[in-house]
Amino acid sequence: MEKTKQTKKISSSFIYFFGAFGGILFGYDIGVMTGALPFLQRDWHLTGDASIIGWITSSVMLGAIFGGALAGVLSDRLGRRKMILISALIFMIGSILSGLSPNNGQIYLIVVRTFLGLAVGAASALVPAYMSEMSPAHLRGRLSGINQVMIVSGMLLSYIMDYLLKGLPHMIAWRLMLALAAVPALILFIGVLALPESPRFLAKSNRLAEAKQVLSFIRKPEEVAGELEQILTTTKREEKALKTTSWSTLLDSRYRPLVIAGIGVAAFQQFQGANAIFYYIPLIVEKATGHAASEALMWPIIQGIILVIGALFFLVIADKFDRRTLLMLGGTMMGLSFILPTILNAFVKTHPMVIVVFLCVYVAFYSFTWAPLTWVLVGEIFPLAIRGRASGLASSFNWIGSFLVGLLFPIMTASMPQEMVFAIFGIICLLGVAFIRFCVPETRGRSLEEIEQEAAGKLKVSELDTDYDA
């Protein structure tokens, strides 16, 4: 008889909280370099060396490109939970090694941060997949949005830590800022030790009793049998495909539209330029005002507060509005926020801080649209047969965009006005709106199995068009 490994009931709140806690790692590392960079520049005399600044900042994203893809493949074999634990360990080691960087060890820091990026990329792929597989369809947007709350909370935490540590000698301040990232990684590791595996992964691995027990933790008793049967139906239908799944499977005509939609959304989120703000806001303020970047560390905190408020607002509206509607609204306003300062400057000389105000508007709309919904869509749009590989590939494309933005932004602003650089990002935002309009299906309120069946033409759209307001 099949036995379960988990006998003690785990509360659904605990599962959802620590299931999404990996976002803290993602967010902390996005934010921490914002404050550490001005001190690192001063310590290693890098001011004006745009290429080295870009490489140190973006090296995490370089590692994340590979971390997302590897985690996607390995999570299909080892499970989501085990891979999150491995990611937390890598993150702890990489954070401590970053803080121990030798003086003027540019190459050392780039290599260590690339290693650290493996964990960041893995977390960005694994957490949405885990959360979407644990969440009921009518709450999936809201519960997956907890991941975004964790990300922006990690960013705000890093901004606050940077601000509190700025009074230390510059050679100590940036090292401590980077090393303290090991603390949330340790908390994540301890919390995930108590988490169950995804019921869909368990069912796919023929561990049915465990899958049923996990569903009993997170569903009403009367829902367990029906959902398990639905999962098994999908699993059986895909069983043959699962045995022969390879990267080429992503190009199969059954899956190609959803693969393009998921990867496209993930790529557009980064090419729209958000991380240029999050990584370089002190330097942006320095260029706009002439004041030292190390004295502008209150601005990241302001951006972090906006992000947290926006992420919490998303939890309220997540399952009340269609995904596509929110993404098109957000993309339009983000694009205008980037383009308008350039237009205004063409007709009248504006105050240098005008661009920073418009960046705050951008962050506000980004915080409750593209920031959380990208990962909601990545977690729910891919069919079971390709979910691990496709979500990993989407994460990798997201990190490719983040890597290129992090690397090229300081080089671009060194060669052209900041307003022009942001105008380019604004055009990309509007192209993203067009992509959503024509290439991305609506997924709100539909089970993962229904999304897959509809994409395969096995369900009529009319059967799914129901009011799913939570």
Side-chain angles (χ1 to χ4, degrees):
M1 179 179 289
E2 183 181 10
K3 295 181 180 180
T4 62
K5 295 180 181 179
Q6 190 86 43
T7 57
K8 185 178 179 181
K9 182 174 176 61
I10 306 172
S11 75
S12 58
S13 298
F14 183 91
I15 292 172
Y16 294 138
F17 178 83
F18 275 103
F21 196 81
I24 289 278
L25 308 188
F26 185 4
Y28 192 95
D29 204 82
I30 287 176
V32 70
M33 188 53 74
T34 303
L37 195 57
F39 298 97
L40 175 62
Q41 285 180 288
R42 188 187 308 171
D43 188 21
W44 288 359
H45 309 291
L46 298 177
T47 303
D49 195 338
S51 61
I52 289 295
I53 293 170
W55 272 107
I56 290 175
T57 303
S58 63
S59 54
V60 164
M61 288 84 86
L62 179 62
I65 294 170
F66 301 100
L70 287 173
V73 175
L74 292 176
S75 70
D76 280 343
R77 297 178 183 176
L78 304 177
R80 301 0 173 182
R81 173 183 172 274
K82 187 174 292 185
M83 287 305 302
I84 294 174
L85 286 170
I86 293 172
S87 299
L89 281 174
I90 293 174
F91 198 94
M92 276 189 279
I93 295 169
S95 299
I96 293 169
L97 290 177
S98 296
L100 296 175
S101 297
N103 191 38
N104 291 318
Q106 290 96 325
I107 301 300
Y108 170 92
L109 187 55
I110 291 171
V111 171
V112 168
R113 282 177 57 76
T114 302
F115 171 75
L116 176 62
L118 294 173
V120 176
S124 71
L126 294 167
V127 171
Y130 183 84
M131 289 298 289
S132 66
E133 293 183 354
M134 299 296 279
S135 308
H138 70 287
L139 292 177
R140 195 170 56 243
R142 188 176 304 169
L143 291 174
S144 297
I146 295 174
N147 179 43
Q148 180 61 23
V149 174
M150 293 293 185
I151 291 173
V152 296
S153 296
M155 293 173 67
L156 180 58
L157 176 64
S158 71
Y159 295 151
I160 293 172
M161 292 304 300
D162 289 349
Y163 187 81
L164 294 176
L165 296 173
K166 71 174 185 175
L168 295 174
H170 55 263
M171 71 286 296
I172 296 175
W174 68 266
R175 286 183 170 87
L176 195 53
M177 291 172 185
L178 299 183
L180 282 174
V183 176
L186 177 61
I187 296 172
L188 173 66
F189 184 85
I190 294 171
V192 173
L193 282 175
L195 290 187
E197 184 52 84
S198 154
R200 285 174 173 81
F201 174 81
L202 293 172
K204 185 175 67 172
S205 304
N206 204 33
R207 294 155 61 181
L208 303 184
E210 290 179 65
K212 184 175 182 180
Q213 187 170 54
V214 173
L215 284 173
S216 73
F217 297 158
I218 55 179
R219 301 289 187 270
K220 296 177 181 177
E222 64 272 17
E223 297 174 343
V224 173
E227 181 158 348
L228 182 59
E229 182 62 32
Q230 189 178 43
I231 292 171
L232 289 173
T233 299
T234 302
T235 302
K236 289 177 182 178
R237 191 180 72 242
E238 298 292 347
E239 188 174 15
K240 185 177 179 180
L242 281 168
K243 292 179 180 178
T244 58
T245 294
S246 65
W247 287 106
S248 62
T249 309
L250 301 183
L251 301 176
D252 190 292
S253 59
R254 293 172 296 169
Y255 306 130
R256 193 184 307 125
L258 294 180
V259 171
I260 291 173
I263 291 176
V265 170
F268 265 113
Q269 187 207 42
Q270 288 303 325
F271 282 111
Q272 290 168 337
N275 277 353
I277 302 173
F278 303 142
Y279 286 122
Y280 296 113
I281 186 64
L283 302 182
I284 293 170
V285 175
E286 178 184 54
K287 189 158 187 175
T289 64
H291 299 304
S294 58
E295 301 302 317
L297 295 188
M298 183 56 71
W299 277 101
I301 295 178
I302 293 172
Q303 304 281 4
I305 292 171
I306 294 172
L307 283 169
V308 170
I309 292 173
L312 293 173
F313 178 60
F314 173 76
L315 294 184
V316 176
I317 66 170
D319 295 300
K320 299 182 184 297
F321 297 93
D322 285 349
R323 317 285 196 235
R324 283 158 41 92
T325 300
L326 290 174
L327 287 170
M328 288 190 287
L329 168 67
T332 300
M333 296 305 298
M334 288 153 54
L336 292 176
S337 299
F338 275 157
I339 293 170
L340 285 177
T342 304
I343 296 175
L344 289 174
N345 243 11
F347 293 98
V348 60
K349 186 67 175 177
T350 59
H351 191 279
M353 288 300 290
V354 166
I355 189 172
V356 180
V357 173
F358 273 101
L359 293 185
C360 291
V361 175
Y362 172 99
V363 171
F365 279 92
Y366 176 80
S367 67
F368 70 90
T369 58
W370 279 84
L373 280 171
T374 294
W375 301 112
V376 172
L377 277 168
V378 166
E380 68 188 5
I381 201 170
F382 298 124
L384 179 64
I386 61 168
R387 187 168 298 144
R389 279 185 170 85
S391 61
L393 190 61
S395 174
S396 293
F397 268 84
N398 184 270
W399 285 108
I400 287 171
S402 183
F403 167 71
L404 291 175
V405 169
L407 177 64
L408 297 177
F409 181 78
I411 298 173
M412 292 171 69
T413 54
S415 59
M416 67 178 76
Q418 281 193 145
E419 292 86 351
M420 185 61 65
V421 176
F422 286 120
I424 294 172
F425 288 137
I427 293 171
I428 296 174
C429 288
L430 299 181
L431 291 175
V433 172
F435 180 81
I436 297 298
R437 173 68 177 82
F438 296 107
C439 300
V440 178
E442 183 56 54
T443 58
R444 178 175 68 101
R446 300 171 185 179
S447 74
L448 302 182
E449 287 69 34
E450 287 172 336
I451 295 167
E452 179 176 349
Q453 289 171 342
E454 183 186 337
K458 295 178 181 176
L459 285 180
K460 297 179 181 178
V461 174
S462 59
E463 295 177 27
L464 302 175
D465 287 340
T466 313
D467 184 3
Y468 292 103
D469 289 1

